[in-house]
Amino acid sequence: MSSTGENRSSNSTRDSKANISSSRLRKELMDLVMGRDKGISACPVDDTFFKWIATIDGPNDTVYENLKFKLSLKFTTQYPYVPPNIKFISPCYHPNIDSSGNICLDILKDKWTASYDVRSVLLSIQSLLGEPNLDDPLDPEAAANWKKSDFKKIMLMHHAKGEKKSTQ
Amino acid sequence: MFDLSLSLIEGNLFLKYNHHHCCLDYHRFTITMPNTEPEEATRENRESNDGSFECNICLDTAKDAVVSMCGHLFCWPCLYQWLETKPQRQVCPVCKALISRDKVTPIYGRGSSRRDPRDTLPPRPPGQRTEPEPHPSTSFPGFGFGDGGFHMSFGIGAFPFGYFSSTIFNFSDNRPAPSPSNPDYLEDALLSKMFFFVAMILLFYLLVA
């Protein structure tokens, strides 16, 4: 009696987990569409809703102004209890982003909570662009160059090089 | 090469390009939708109708709702899952305040008791309710803190007034009455009757003598 109860409960937990992730991702897409946030957009790339592509506009009054960055978001059935895997597809020369596009941001790791969503994460990444955390750099060279007056020049050079590489 | 698709999700149309261009301008697209209300009205409607009672985790209307001490609403299964995911760091997903199983209050809407609670695993923590204090002004500290009403030593030595005084003190005790199924309670009830009987005999004896 009790063992069947446990089976049923574990099955229903597994089902509800997958249901929660996909129905939540659907709602998030709706909210993104209705919310009309400036400078961020995201969209699933397949019917499962577990892979998304997002774009972030470089924030105004920063060196990244007028640049567009493309990111990939990968979700699991554990979402929203575990954070999505987010990477820059576009090259981004930044103290907290490495050359493969990995992002060092606390809310994508240990500070993640289940009420963060695609929208809040994209906005956080957008603000990270303008306000890097220089104490914990993922790209020490970029961190060392951040305060230099010609950072924008160096960054644009990297950007152009990366774009070229990605189109080849 | 050019792959364009339309999909209907929850009554809204989405336009999908070949995935390089799928992040198209939604803004313009949503405005051209036939059923789209003006932006302000839509937002207000959404907020007043659904926003207030949506679970902060699944973003759906909260089922088996619980509310944290910090005031954030969740479905109990959603919050339980979150607490299980991070057993060493149990914080509110919204405001990161400390949160735990015992610190959330279930919300019972009208008619929700029809649902079999065993269908919703794990069960929600029960609501906490405190009995109102019967006579706060007459409460007498120092008596009645034992776990089974008054004790035997009260009545025997202090003939017969000791019994009454202890009874009075016991009555003014502000604890809730012990459960009738408790064996201590039955024993005490029996003792109480016995003492009352003995006291009556003695009183009668005194009056007669």
Side-chain angles (χ1 to χ4, degrees):
Chain A
M1 185 68 192
S2 71
S3 76
T4 50
E6 276 164 27
N7 276 341
R8 197 173 51 204
S9 83
S10 70
N11 278 341
S12 70
T13 320
R14 208 180 308 131
D15 290 349
S16 69
K17 254 192 220 165
N19 283 343
I20 286 177
S21 340
S22 66
S23 86
R24 202 187 118 136
L25 287 167
R26 272 161 212 274
K27 277 177 191 297
E28 287 191 33
L29 178 60
M30 291 280 296
D31 288 350
L32 272 169
V33 171
M34 305 306 265
R36 289 157 215 190
D37 293 287
K38 290 263 156 63
I40 58 163
S41 62
C43 178
V45 292
D46 58 9
D47 294 333
T48 65
F49 273 77
F50 287 109
K51 271 187 193 170
W52 291 40
I53 297 277
T55 51
I56 293 179
D57 294 352
N60 292 341
D61 306 320
T62 68
V63 290
Y64 303 99
E65 195 172 357
N66 299 327
L67 291 174
K68 274 188 188 293
F69 298 95
K70 202 183 276 183
L71 297 96
S72 80
L73 290 79
K74 285 178 188 158
F75 302 88
T76 63
T77 51
Q78 295 275 296
Y79 183 79
Y81 302 106
V82 297
N85 187 333
I86 304 185
K87 271 184 160 189
F88 272 81
I89 302 172
S90 312
C92 183
Y93 188 67
H94 183 277
N96 304 113
I97 297 160
D98 72 8
S99 55
S100 350
N102 296 307
I103 308 163
C104 181
L105 183 60
D106 55 358
I107 65 156
L108 293 179
K109 296 186 172 80
D110 56 319
K111 294 280 164 60
W112 171 262
T113 79
S115 71
Y116 285 122
D117 54 12
V118 174
R119 186 182 160 271
S120 59
V121 161
L122 291 180
L123 289 173
S124 298
I125 294 174
Q126 194 183 35
S127 75
L128 178 75
L129 288 178
E131 293 154 24
N133 175 11
L134 296 174
D135 299 330
D136 186 21
L138 205 56
D139 184 343
E141 191 204 298
N145 288 334
W146 177 259
K147 294 224 169 106
K148 290 186 184 166
S149 54
D150 58 348
F151 182 85
K152 186 167 183 177
K153 215 171 107 190
I154 304 169
M155 186 272 293
L156 287 173
M157 221 167 66
H158 275 84
H159 191 78
K161 215 192 283 174
E163 288 274 280
K164 208 172 159 190
K165 210 185 275 175
S166 67
T167 51
Q168 270 172 5
Chain B
M1 266 328 274
F2 189 72
D3 173 26
L4 179 74
S5 69
L6 283 169
S7 47
L8 187 68
I9 299 158
E10 289 173 12
N12 289 276
L13 274 172
F14 291 100
L15 193 55
K16 230 162 50 175
Y17 274 44
N18 217 346
H19 62 91
H20 295 293
H21 299 99
C22 69
C23 306
L24 57 118
D25 190 1
Y26 288 127
H27 321 281
R28 219 167 300 146
F29 177 60
T30 47
I31 288 165
T32 57
M33 275 165 40
N35 288 343
T36 308
E37 293 166 50
E39 181 179 2
E40 284 307 308
T42 318
R43 284 221 130 184
E44 257 172 43
N45 266 345
R46 285 169 60 77
E47 273 161 26
S48 60
N49 291 345
D50 329 316
S52 335
F53 298 105
E54 278 173 5
C55 164
N56 282 289
I57 294 179
C58 67
L59 313 181
D60 216 332
T61 307
K63 296 180 196 83
D64 296 316
V66 293
V67 67
S68 63
M69 299 280 266
C70 43
H72 296 114
L73 185 72
F74 305 96
C75 304
W76 170 243
C78 294
L79 185 65
Y80 178 84
Q81 186 72 39
W82 171 245
L83 297 178
E84 287 286 292
T85 314
K86 298 227 165 178
Q88 76 289 1
R89 188 174 160 265
Q90 299 198 326
V91 293
C92 169
V94 181
C95 69
K96 298 188 178 173
L98 272 182
I99 198 173
S100 73
R101 187 195 162 89
D102 307 325
K103 294 276 170 68
V104 297
T105 309
I107 296 173
Y108 303 115
R110 188 170 172 271
S112 60
S113 55
R114 265 205 222 162
R115 207 189 157 99
D116 186 352
R118 284 168 300 180
D119 288 346
T120 61
L121 288 156
R124 268 189 293 180
Q128 294 170 7
R129 61 183 303 276
T130 318
E131 289 290 336
E133 295 186 2
H135 302 292
S137 57
T138 57
S139 71
F140 195 91
F143 282 92
F145 283 103
D147 47 348
F150 71 88
H151 293 280
M152 236 174 153
S153 56
F154 281 161
I156 298 171
F159 148 86
F161 303 104
Y163 168 74
F164 287 121
S165 59
S166 69
T167 311
I168 290 159
F169 292 142
N170 200 38
F171 277 25
S172 63
D173 177 11
N174 60 357
R175 287 174 303 126
S179 151
S181 60
N182 188 345
D184 283 351
Y185 173 83
L186 296 172
E187 199 183 328
D188 281 337
L190 187 70
L191 277 174
S192 169
K193 275 180 197 156
M194 252 170 65
F195 275 112
F196 189 70
F197 192 57
V198 171
M200 278 305 172
I201 292 172
L202 288 172
L203 201 65
F204 187 64
Y205 170 79
L206 269 181
L207 288 172
V208 171

